[in-house]
Amino acid sequence: MNTLQEIASCVSGYDPNALPVAQAQEFIARLVPRVDATESLPIRSALGRVLARDIVSGINVPAHDNSAMDGYALRGAELRADAQSTLTVIGTGFAGQQFSGPVPPGHCVRVMTGAVMPEGLDTVVPQEFVQVDRATITVPPAVVRTGDNRRLAGEDLAVGEAALRAGRLLRPADLGLLASLAQAEVPVLRRLRVAFFSTGDELRSIGEPLPEGCVYDSNRYTLWGMLQRLGVDLLDMGVVRDEPAALEAAFRHAAENADAVITSGGVSVGEADHTKQVMARLGDVLFWRIAMRPGRPMAIGRIQSGSHSAILFGLPGNPVAVMVTFYAFVRDALLAMSGSTPQPLPMLRAASEKALRKKPGRTEYQRGIVSRAADGSWQVAITGSQGSGILRSMSEANGLVVLHHAQGDVAAGDLVDVLPFDGLV
Ligand code: AMP
Ligand code: MG
């Protein structure tokens, strides 16, 4: 395990007091370990889990050449290129009930979709192209080429081929693929366990009265929602008071029971509370100022309790900053820890409806509403107030406008990158 200093020395342009987003992401990617324990699950329970091993096909899928259409199977070479051809129908093949027996020259077999191709035949003419007259069919010239409308044995999966690779986050199509290989049990990595809590003496939980100067804790709910969608196991530790003993007990419990701990609040520069001191005392922790907006301060590192340790993500307290830093840093890190192969998030290019002010030298995440313009292209409008405490801007938005590090002001109509929320799982 590398120390944080060793990791920092591998990241070019590392400056903890003005860290570009890309460097922070690289640092985190080097820091986080991957779970390695596996378990075997019944196929349906494996949805959304990470495949632990390559799955190699033991059979050909499909097992035989078969018809892709309802029509007539024949020898392509027997069709005339310049005139109609007439063939005699010798029998019928159904899916699951094949025509067996020889097919002499000049003959064809009526086949349904999925029927095994009769011996010696290589082409299927769809039924809508032929004229049927009792036991003969007439095929016009040039409606098919040899090999058309025939599915080849093993074209979906061939024996010995890796059907799915380790590290894959299993989707519905993958369950279907596993089922077509008759894989009843699927080897997956164990789920990641993530503990999270809020810090701040002004925070109250739902159900408690709200004294003057206090706010209800919203971060625990946005975090819960984002973590839930990632499919990790959750340990919600509530609000922890700004008191060294309470904080220490909470961090120890998290380190003993989780792979990662996410906190919000208490990491700002000049923060008067004890969160930072306790973090630093219990582990190897860096306090960053990231060149981004919102979400500048962040703590990152490892928290220790005895022989247990957990990766710490100490997020800022402001409700919008929590979500933005989660999407910018924590999401990919947790997926990597879960063992899944990273997939870049899909970005839209959309025309900004208005001019935007942007200082080069930091990444800005503005909340936006993406829609279709009259000509079908994407456009984006920034939601009202962009203050980092205005959670409503996040709730109204359907995407984050990402204004990259080096970018300057944006003119109305310029294309910008947008991260659509619906792509975020
Ligand atoms: P901090 O990062 O602790 O300085 O907090 C920054 C701002 O975010 C303050 O206004 C806090 O009251 C607010 N805040 C911190 N944690 C939460 C939370 N869990 N829910 C709602 N607001 C919070
Ligand atoms: Mg605070």
Side-chain angles (χ1 to χ4, degrees), residues 51-383:
L51 194 60
R53 286 193 272 105
D54 288 356
I55 300 292
V56 175
S57 179
I59 54 173
N60 274 325
V61 180
H64 307 278
D65 290 5
N66 68 81
S67 175
M69 303 286 269
D70 291 344
Y72 294 86
L74 43 78
R75 292 178 184 82
E78 287 187 353
L79 294 180
R80 295 165 57 177
D82 49 358
Q84 60 183 32
S85 313
T86 301
L87 296 162
T88 304
V89 183
I90 192 178
T92 305
F94 299 93
Q97 196 182 318
Q98 73 190 77
F99 173 86
S100 47
V103 183
H107 288 71
C108 65
V109 176
R110 171 128 174 84
V111 285
M112 305 304 157
T113 305
V116 172
M117 288 295 283
E119 188 76 33
L121 308 188
D122 54 19
T123 305
V124 175
V125 183
Q127 60 189 15
E128 52 273 29
F129 289 131
V130 308
Q131 253 185 21
V132 184
D133 180 15
R134 273 165 296 182
T136 63
I137 60 165
T138 305
V139 185
V143 291
V144 288
R145 283 163 308 176
T146 296
D148 277 0
N149 305 312
R150 172 189 49 164
R151 303 170 180 149
L152 296 174
E155 75 172 20
D156 195 353
L157 294 169
V159 177
E161 193 183 320
L164 293 168
R165 296 277 181 200
R168 174 150 193 116
L169 199 61
L170 295 169
R171 296 185 287 121
D174 305 325
L175 295 195
L177 213 54
L178 291 163
S180 65
L181 299 175
Q183 183 98 26
E185 297 271 317
V186 184
V188 296
L189 293 172
R190 78 156 166 83
R191 253 192 233 277
L192 198 70
R193 278 191 290 274
V194 180
F196 60 108
F197 57 88
S198 299
T199 70
D201 277 347
E202 76 283 24
L203 301 179
R204 292 294 178 274
S205 293
I206 299 175
E208 292 175 355
L210 194 67
E212 177 99 12
C214 290
V215 293
Y216 283 117
D217 171 14
S218 61
N219 291 342
R220 237 166 5 103
Y221 293 85
T222 49
L223 277 172
W224 180 88
M226 293 186 292
L227 290 167
Q228 187 74 23
R229 284 191 163 185
L230 277 184
V232 297
D233 274 345
L234 298 181
L235 180 57
D236 181 347
M237 296 176 60
V239 175
V240 176
R241 271 168 301 117
D242 180 22
E243 195 179 89
L247 285 164
E248 173 164 347
F251 278 118
R252 284 194 185 282
H253 185 77
E256 285 159 18
N257 292 284
D259 302 293
V261 51
I262 303 175
T263 63
S264 70
V267 293
S268 309
V269 177
E271 185 79 39
D273 65 17
H274 302 282
T275 309
K276 289 171 80 172
Q277 290 161 32
V278 175
M279 285 177 178
R281 185 152 52 77
L282 289 184
D284 192 8
V285 178
L286 299 172
F287 297 93
W288 283 344
R289 295 171 68 162
I290 303 175
M292 69 186 288
R293 200 167 125 153
R296 244 167 24 128
M298 181 168 156
I300 186 83
R302 301 186 187 98
I303 290 286
Q304 222 87 35
S305 179
S307 60
H308 299 279
S309 94
I311 297 293
L312 167 72
F313 299 94
L315 306 185
N318 273 311
V320 178
V322 166
M323 297 195 73
V324 167
T325 48
F326 184 93
Y327 288 138
F329 305 112
V330 183
R331 175 188 181 278
D332 281 1
L334 295 182
L335 286 175
M337 291 179 80
S338 304
S340 109
T341 310
Q343 300 280 336
L345 288 170
M347 288 261 197
L348 289 180
R349 294 284 285 166
S352 181
E353 291 181 30
K354 295 216 171 102
L356 304 173
R357 312 272 325 238
K358 163 68 170 63
K359 267 205 225 155
R362 69 181 186 205
T363 306
E364 289 192 14
Y365 298 85
Q366 303 207 4
R367 279 70 73 202
I369 298 174
V370 190
S371 60
R372 289 275 194 194
D375 66 358
S377 63
W378 293 111
Q379 59 187 11
V380 62
I382 299 304
T383 58

